[in-house]
Amino acid sequence: MKKPEIRKTVQLGLLGLGTVGSGVYEIIQREARAIEVKTGVHLVVRKICDKYLSQTRRAALPRGIFSPDADALLNDPTIDIVVELIGGIHPAKEIIEKALKRGKHVVTANKALLAEYGESIFGSAAKARREIGFEVSVCGAIPIIKSVKEGLISNNVSHFLGIVNGTCNYILTRMSQDGMDFDAALAEAQGQGFAERDPRLDVEGIDSAHKLAVLARLAFRSEIPFGAVFVEGIRGLSVKDIRYAKELGYTIKLLAIGKRLKKNLELRVHPTMLPDNHPLSGVRGVYNAVFLHADQAGDLLFYGKGAGKLPAASAVMSDIVDIAKKIARNDRTDALTGIRPGTIPVLPMKDLRSRYYLRFQVVDKPGVLGRIAQTLGRNHISILSVQQKESHDQKSVPVVFLTYEASERNLRSALARVDLLDDVTEKTVVLRVES
Ligand SMILES: NC(=O)c1ccc[n+]([C@@H]2O[C@H](COP(=O)([O-])OP(=O)(O)OC[C@H]3O[C@@H](n4cnc5c(N)ncnc54)[C@H](OP(=O)(O)O)[C@@H]3O)[C@@H](O)[C@H]2O)c1
């Protein structure tokens, strides 16, 4: 019998030599030999493309390897895998689609692209029968994609809660541990290089929603229309609520929440109160973590660095090596098995059932709390506890309610009335509570 052909050299085209790209290049320079010993595959970076590289950086690269033009990579028939590390939707989408059409496999870090155009990108990969690796797109160094795709292959994932944005977790940690307000904590994060100069994608929850969409697609085997993910960031969060939550035994985290209900998916990103003894409550600083429940494996906790040159590059390498091994073995089995999804409808946010923390700011006089409680009651919201907090403000006092589980629709209609009461001086603060 004829032995299958074994190709030992796999050639890469690296697109983007920024933070992650330079980490990948550095690891390949350092570890290619060790990887060859472990896998039998020799990885070679054949071409590098970046919009701009200084003369000094170009001079440090082997001759002829660099090009400012992505076509140099796409038109090279000897390149097996295109590694897209430029980020953004355009031209990353067009480049990836072209690469797939030309028979190249793709590794990408681009969560925004996969979240917003996943159907089209995965569809193009399936049509071309080429692999697409995206481990690094969710939680950087944490091997969550591989774990869900392979380690949990015989499981059904019922839900996951993730701290998937290190910038927000850093800010919330500083606010919670040191009483810093949001602006000061953000400025510090920017100073330390943990937040972008334009932090909107992070603090408004969009980056977390991108990761949620990518992970949910895989975990629940469903197409995820990105617009159906509910997103609320941390910008409006006050130190006061973080402190009151703490007094009640809760920690506030920005969570990406995915749940498989009977007929729907729950997909939401928002600041969430978690009991202090929940495994995610102790995740501090820039660290990421995902708490996941699968029917056979039970509860699982993934923890690690969600960003950074080498942590992110480590995850990219895992995809590169996996695909390279398949190329070397001439293995044509479809790596996308398990992520060929159906479409499970996403639960509209107004149909969510949750427990709530409510902070009312009210004039300190008899009868006010009664009126609020009555309005909540009329809207089928049962109160678990009420605490009036001390205040040095003459005009109003904070009153914190915890509710039993209630529907978001009822809550919204109750608050629309409460916020119109003469004795309620500010818009009510609402936080959802998970256990
Ligand atoms: N940084 C992390 O820790 C991390 C972790 C997980 C995932 N990711 C993802 O990884 C990707 C890359 O992130 P990064 O932090 O490495 O970004 P980065 O440092 O900004 O690097 C991107 C590089 O690509 C270049 N570039 C941009 N558009 C290009 C184009 N059209 N053609 C050629 N080169 C182009 C940029 O050049 P200019 O600077 O001149 O624009 C830059 O050198 C993003 O999708 C990001 O979401 C990053």
Side-chain angles (χ1 to χ4, degrees), residues 248-291:
L248 291 164
Y250 290 87
T251 302
I252 298 180
K253 294 288 184 192
L254 182 71
L255 290 191
I257 301 173
K259 292 187 184 177
R260 175 77 165 97
L261 311 177
K262 262 198 190 121
K263 293 187 179 153
N264 297 91
L265 295 180
E266 237 178 72
L267 300 172
R268 49 195 168 100
V269 171
H270 51 71
T272 311
M273 276 173 49
L274 279 175
D276 283 339
N277 63 1
H278 190 283
L280 293 181
S281 294
V283 175
R284 299 198 176 88
V286 291
Y287 276 86
N288 283 198
V290 178
F291 180 81

Side-chain angles (χ1 to χ4, degrees), residues 7-297:
R7 270 179 61 200
K8 287 197 175 163
T9 297
V10 170
Q11 306 223 73
L12 312 175
L14 208 52
L15 181 64
L17 203 63
T19 307
V20 186
S22 57
V24 169
Y25 187 62
E26 187 180 315
I27 294 178
I28 293 176
Q29 298 312 297
R30 222 173 41 215
E31 303 293 335
R33 180 73 196 116
I35 291 170
E36 189 171 350
V37 170
K38 286 184 212 168
T39 65
V41 178
H42 179 53
L43 294 176
V44 173
V45 178
R46 167 94 179 156
K47 284 219 160 68
I48 294 176
C49 163
D50 196 287
K51 248 192 325 203
Y52 169 78
L53 269 199
S54 66
Q55 281 305 332
T56 330
R57 287 190 76 197
R58 276 188 207 201
L61 297 173
R63 261 175 109 82
I65 200 174
F66 176 78
S67 166
D69 182 2
D71 278 341
L73 230 117
L74 297 169
N75 292 337
D76 185 333
T78 68
I79 288 179
D80 302 291
I81 307 175
V82 168
V83 185
E84 182 276 305
L85 301 169
I86 60 175
I89 305 291
H90 304 289
K93 179 173 183 287
E94 292 72 21
I95 292 173
I96 288 179
E97 283 173 344
K98 241 188 219 174
L100 291 166
K101 263 195 194 135
R102 292 185 188 180
K104 300 181 190 311
H105 302 276
V106 170
V107 173
T108 176
N110 202 325
K111 55 233 165 191
L113 178 63
L114 295 180
E116 294 181 30
Y117 293 92
E119 205 175 333
S120 148
I121 296 287
F122 289 115
S124 302
K127 201 163 150 203
R129 296 199 61 79
R130 287 296 176 271
E131 306 267 345
I132 183 146
F134 53 99
E135 180 64 69
V136 69
S137 65
V138 182
C139 295
I142 303 174
I144 182 87
I145 297 296
K146 194 166 183 152
S147 299
V148 172
K149 202 156 71 170
E150 295 177 17
L152 298 173
I153 187 80
S154 66
N155 286 256
N156 293 297
V157 174
S158 64
H159 65 270
F160 61 82
L161 309 178
I163 294 173
V164 297
N165 184 280
T167 305
C168 290
N169 205 45
Y170 180 86
I171 293 171
L172 292 178
T173 303
R174 293 294 273 149
M175 290 175 77
S176 165
Q177 285 186 346
D178 308 293
M180 269 182 152
D181 70 20
F182 174 83
D183 289 331
L186 171 60
E188 186 185 91
Q190 286 169 320
Q192 304 256 352
F194 298 147
E196 301 283 337
R197 235 174 341 152
D198 177 359
R200 279 175 300 179
L201 270 184
D202 293 320
V203 300
E204 288 173 10
I206 299 158
D207 175 76
S208 297
H210 284 149
K211 293 165 182 165
L212 170 62
V214 174
L215 185 57
R217 184 177 200 280
L218 199 61
F220 305 130
R221 292 180 213 108
S222 174
E223 290 297 354
I224 307 292
F226 184 64
V229 177
F230 174 81
V231 193
E232 199 178 279
I234 61 167
R235 204 185 270 283
L237 209 58
S238 95
V239 181
K240 205 191 267 186
D241 293 302
I242 291 179
R243 194 174 69 238
Y244 295 158
K246 216 185 234 177
E247 288 165 14
L248 291 164
Y250 290 87
T251 302
I252 298 180
K253 294 288 184 192
L254 182 71
L255 290 191
I257 301 173
K259 292 187 184 177
R260 175 77 165 97
L261 311 177
K262 262 198 190 121
K263 293 187 179 153
N264 297 91
L265 295 180
E266 237 178 72
L267 300 172
R268 49 195 168 100
V269 171
H270 51 71
T272 311
M273 276 173 49
L274 279 175
D276 283 339
N277 63 1
H278 190 283
L280 293 181
S281 294
V283 175
R284 299 198 176 88
V286 291
Y287 276 86
N288 283 198
V290 178
F291 180 81
L292 179 148
H293 184 83
D295 56 356
Q296 292 152 36

